[in-house]
Amino acid sequence: IFLDHRQQPDSVRARLLDAMRMAQQRDGVVRVIAHPRASTLEVLQQELPLLVEQGIEFVRLSSELEQQSTTMVAGEKRQ
């Protein structure tokens, strides 16, 4: 889900709430794409502490991909 295709803070906040709802429907996982824009950073700065209190975990995609890569290499059969 694109978090900030519209740059107004209210729009970013609404998309963040959409992402939370999507995560609840998808076994707790949703991928969010955002840009380091002032409006996006403002909303995230305000909302992240509340989301963390609710048990929401944020993971960088690069970390997730690295973990998947490590898991695949570890699971490979060597001949």
Side-chain angles (χ1 to χ4, degrees), residues 13-78:
R13 190 172 283 105
R15 295 298 288 169
L16 186 58
L17 293 174
D18 289 343
M20 290 177 51
R21 283 191 286 273
M22 289 175 71
Q24 291 171 343
Q25 297 169 355
R26 297 179 179 187
D27 296 325
V29 176
V30 67
R31 287 177 180 83
V32 175
I33 299 169
H35 300 90
R37 297 177 175 147
S39 58
T40 305
L41 296 173
E42 174 187 328
V43 170
L44 290 175
Q45 187 175 25
Q46 293 170 357
E47 300 296 333
L48 283 180
L50 303 171
L51 298 174
V52 170
E53 284 179 14
Q54 295 176 23
I56 305 294
E57 179 182 3
F58 290 83
V59 179
R60 289 178 181 244
L61 182 58
S62 59
S63 299
E64 184 180 342
L65 293 174
E66 182 179 305
Q67 178 64 32
Q68 287 178 0
S69 175
T70 302
T71 301
M72 289 187 336
V73 170
E76 289 179 353
K77 292 183 181 179
R78 304 213 179 237

